[in-house]
Structure formats: C-alpha cells, structure tokens
Amino acid sequence: MNHPIPYGRQHITDEDIAAVNDVLRSPYLTQGPKIGELEQAFANYIGSAYAVAVANGTAALHLCCMALGVGPGTRVITTPLTFSASANCVRYCGGDVFFADVSSDTVLLDPAAVRTLLESHPQGYFSGIIPVDFAGYPVDMVAFRELADEFGLWIIEDACHAPGASFVSETGTEHRAGDGSLADLAIFSFHPVKHIAAGEGGMITTNNESLYKHLLRLRTHGITNKPTEFTAPYEGEPERGGWYMELQELGYNYRLTDIQAALALSQLARADSMLDRRRELASRYDSVFAEAAEKGIPVQIIVPPDGVIHAYHLYVIQTPNRKGLYDFLRTKNILAQVHYVPVHLMPYYRNFGWKPGDFPNAETYYAHCLSLPLFPTLTNDEQDYVVDQVVTFLKAV
Ligand SMILES: *Cc1c(COP(=O)(O)O)cnc(C)c1O
C-alpha cells in the first residue's frame, strides 16, 4: 500500500460537515440547543436515564471523581491496563490510586484480584472502583456491583472503548456498557479514534438524578442559575433579578461546544452501522488468526464467549516478537499501535512505589500485544493487506 494505514481513524461525511456548518451560522457556538439534543440521543442510545456532555473523556472522569467526593485520603482501585486518564482523575482530586491485576483471558480488571485487595484491608479503606471496558470488551459489571455493595464502594465505568457493547448476566438480563443499571456513573470519549468523533468531547451517563444535577453544575464552574437551587440568604444584598446566579462550589469550565455536539450527533446517527462494520472487520481478523494459530503460527487473540457483545474499539493480537512485528509493519506503511504501557509502570506512578512485577498478567499482555488497524472505513482490501503482512512476518519467526 502506498498510503499509511493507521490503527484507528474517524469517518466524516458530508452530512457531518453540513451539521457543523449549520451550527456555525446559528446564534449559539457553545452550550446551545445541540448539547441537550446530544445528551438525549446519547442517553437513548446507551440506555441510561441521564447524560451530561463535557469537554472530553478526561474531564468526564475528573467530574465523576468530584461528584463522588474523591479528595485527599480517598483510595480508588483501577486497572493498570488502560489509558492513564482512568487513574489520573483520582489524582486530580488528591486521592490515592491503587491497581489490581487483570485476568489473563479477558485482560480486564479481575474482580477476584480486586476482592483480594479489598479483603486485605479493613472495611472502608477503599471508596471506589474504576473498571475499564478495555478494547471494547465489557467488564463483568455484575461482579463489580456485588463487590461494591459488599464493601460500600461506588463504581465509575470507563466505557470509552465500549459504546454499544453489552453482556447478558446469569439472570438473563442484558446490560449495555454505561447504561446506568450497575455502575453509578459511566464515561465516554469523542476523541477521533473512538467510536464517535467530535474532535474533542466526552459524556457521562448515569441513572442517579442527584449525581446528574451535581455534574451539570460542576461542568460550568459550580454555578447554578436555577432559582429552585439557590441557597444564599437574601439578607444584606440588593434585590435579585433575572441576572442572579450562584457559585455554590468550585467547578470547572468543562463545557462541550455546540459545534462539537453537532458533529457527535451526526455521527451518533450512524453509530450502529459503524459498529457493525467494526464487528465485521474483527470477525474477518478472527477467522484468519484462529486458523493461523491452529497451524502453529505464534499469534493469539481474545474471543469473547457467547452473550458478551464486544464493541471493538481495538483489535489486538498477542505474539512473542511484538517489537519485530511492530517495526516490520511500519516498513509496510501499517501503523499498528501498542495499547497500553501499563499505567503503574509510568514514571509518575512509579513515584508512588509501583514497579515491574506488581501486575504480571497486565505486564505479560503488554509485552505481547499489538493493535491492528480497525476503523469503519478500513476496506477489505486494506485489511487483507494487513493480514498478509502480519502472517508473512509471523511465519518467518
Ligand atoms: C480516550 C480515553 C480516555 C480519555 O478520553 P479523552 O476524550 O481523550 O480525554 C479515558 N479512558 C480511556 C480508556 C480512553 O480510551
């Protein structure tokens, strides 16, 4: 191929561009009517009662931690196998990050490892868990809910990889990632490599009305202009008029613009078809690599069991000579990527005492993983080319 093939890429249509143009000619550029429309449409798509649009996925995580009262001394458990924002949000609020290992078959935060960590400390030691639907594989949120109820914890589901993912619980109930039925709060990102691209953008979903109202306030500085929410006494003040508003706590400017919301809305209308294409491409990869593995080619894939519906943000293979494969693919214009350097191995987190060997499953995965190109506009020809190059290299190993 004479053009580079990235591991992920946005898909922008003429309708998307027209939707953005309409906003540019409208009276509102930021936090106008498109925000409410997007929130409503996104909540419907995910299946939650409420949705709060924010500036990006990291801001979503930060506001969730604030709304749940994370502060100095608050201890929160997350996975080492994620983008660092899943842990950083706790630090923004001055809390302490703890990690537990992933399960080696799903590479998702392992509820059993979390239980061991919880049981090795007194009740009340930890406050919350941030599981991540890594690559688009939904975590077993029933197991985390049970732990949360038993140990008095809240849950923020980092569902950035998983809009449209779902699983069926033992009782036969279907749970969509971020639908508010099990986690207290869930977050999504509209970064261009994610399922829905808005340039930058994020969303928080929840079924909890009081958290929802609190998040709306935190998103705009902690200010409210709703008379029913005012708390300051009238005494000693001039008469209030329509201008009056209150800063009730310290929030941020984490607003999404209407320009971005229009783009996200337009993309959301195609979310199902884009997700279908991701799944189709993933299943084409699955069949080739399963066959290759049977022939003794050193490649391993993760295929979810029946009842688990993957959203395929990433398509990952594991192979012993990962560095060799990564370098070889670059020479062939294939920009495969590694997700992720485990968070506990980052210098910032090593400062807190985490070190190599702490989470063997996450580290073994990191040593072998490579994310191959996967995005809705990847053509079958491009994918066949990627597969040929990967198999050619691995056969020679
Ligand atoms: C992308 C991502 C984020 C952060 O989202 P931004 O919109 O880039 O801030 C957080 N967690 C995970 C797992 C992500 O993939």
Side-chain angles (χ1 to χ4, degrees):
M1 293 272 154
N2 47 18
H3 60 277
I5 307 178
Y7 84 88
R9 177 196 279 158
Q10 72 274 17
H11 175 217
I12 303 293
T13 63
D14 289 345
E15 289 79 52
D16 291 346
I17 293 168
V20 170
N21 271 337
D22 286 349
V23 170
L24 292 175
R25 294 196 180 88
S26 79
Y28 292 98
L29 291 188
T30 191
Q31 199 117 331
K34 290 293 164 196
I35 298 298
E37 267 182 61
L38 174 64
E39 289 172 339
Q40 188 63 57
F42 196 81
N44 288 347
Y45 179 69
I46 293 298
S48 65
Y50 307 104
V52 179
V54 293
N56 53 63
T58 306
L61 284 164
H62 185 187
L63 291 191
C64 288
C65 285
M66 287 182 75
L68 291 164
V70 176
T74 307
R75 301 181 190 90
V76 179
I77 301 166
T78 190
T79 169
L81 209 63
T82 183
F83 181 58
S84 46
S86 317
N88 295 350
C89 56
V90 175
R91 297 292 310 135
Y92 295 154
C93 296
D96 298 318
V97 178
F98 287 71
F99 300 98
D101 208 352
V102 300
S103 120
S104 53
D105 359 304
T106 63
V107 303
L108 302 172
L109 181 63
D110 184 358
V114 173
R115 172 174 288 281
T116 304
L117 179 60
L118 289 166
E119 285 177 348
S120 62
H121 293 86
Q123 181 86 7
Y125 190 82
F126 294 101
S127 299
I129 321 177
I130 307 181
V132 178
D133 302 311
F134 176 76
Y137 191 136
V139 293
D140 181 354
M141 197 53 80
V142 170
F144 286 114
R145 186 74 257 167
E146 278 168 16
L147 284 176
D149 291 345
E150 188 178 336
F151 291 88
L153 313 169
W154 46 254
I155 303 172
I156 302 170
E157 178 178 8
D158 183 336
C160 280
H161 295 186
S166 67
F167 71 96
V168 177
S169 69
E170 270 171 29
T171 61
T173 315
E174 190 195 355
H175 294 281
R176 267 167 94 80
D179 69 5
S181 61
L182 295 165
D184 298 277
L185 296 165
I187 71 106
F188 296 87
S189 164
F190 303 141
H191 181 279
V193 295
K194 307 288 164 71
H195 290 64
I196 292 162
E200 297 281 354
M203 192 68 84
I204 304 165
T205 55
T206 184
N207 285 358
N208 181 317
E209 189 184 1
S210 72
L211 285 174
Y212 166 67
K213 289 187 171 159
H214 193 181
L215 289 164
L216 289 179
R217 204 160 59 231
L218 289 172
R219 159 176 84 180
T220 39
H221 308 278
I223 289 174
T224 181
N225 56 13
K226 294 194 185 72
T228 53
E229 293 178 2
F230 293 162
T231 58
Y234 268 103
E235 263 160 70
E237 251 193 79
E239 201 183 355
R240 291 174 186 173
W243 65 83
Y244 182 77
M245 56 172 153
E246 287 183 357
L247 171 68
Q248 295 184 328
E249 66 190 307
L250 194 62
Y252 291 84
N253 174 0
Y254 277 165
R255 290 186 297 261
L256 188 69
T257 67
D258 258 35
I259 306 167
Q260 294 161 309
L263 181 52
L265 254 175
S266 181
Q267 298 240 320
L268 187 58
R270 298 199 305 285
D272 282 331
S273 65
M274 292 198 288
L275 186 54
D276 286 348
R277 179 60 183 158
R278 284 177 181 275
R279 289 185 177 138
E280 185 177 23
L281 289 162
S283 113
R284 291 181 93 241
Y285 274 139
D286 279 350
S287 48
V288 185
F289 293 127
E291 203 185 301
E294 264 176 37
K295 289 187 193 147
I297 294 173
V299 60
Q300 209 186 319
I301 54 174
I302 293 173
V303 180
D306 285 350
V308 175
I309 308 293
H310 202 296
Y312 291 106
H313 164 56
L314 301 175
Y315 189 88
V316 185
I317 60 170
Q318 295 172 69
T319 192
N321 187 5
R322 188 269 312 277
K323 166 89 165 56
L325 178 58
Y326 172 94
D327 290 341
F328 174 77
L329 293 177
R330 297 257 141 181
T331 68
K332 302 290 174 188
N333 247 345
I334 299 167
L335 311 181
Q337 242 328 333
V338 170
H339 299 95
Y340 293 97
V341 179
V343 182
H344 71 286
L345 298 182
M346 296 289 182
Y348 176 74
Y349 284 99
R350 288 197 199 206
N351 290 335
F352 295 89
W354 306 102
K355 58 187 186 312
D358 282 347
F359 304 106
N361 294 346
E363 292 169 35
T364 301
Y365 178 80
Y366 166 56
H368 297 97
C369 68
L370 193 64
S371 307
L372 299 182
L374 180 69
F375 48 90
T377 54
L378 183 71
T379 64
N380 287 3
D381 284 352
E382 287 172 325
Q383 188 186 30
D384 291 344
Y385 171 75
V386 171
V387 164
D388 283 350
Q389 297 306 326
V390 171
V391 172
T392 302
F393 178 84
L394 293 179
K395 264 188 185 160
V397 172

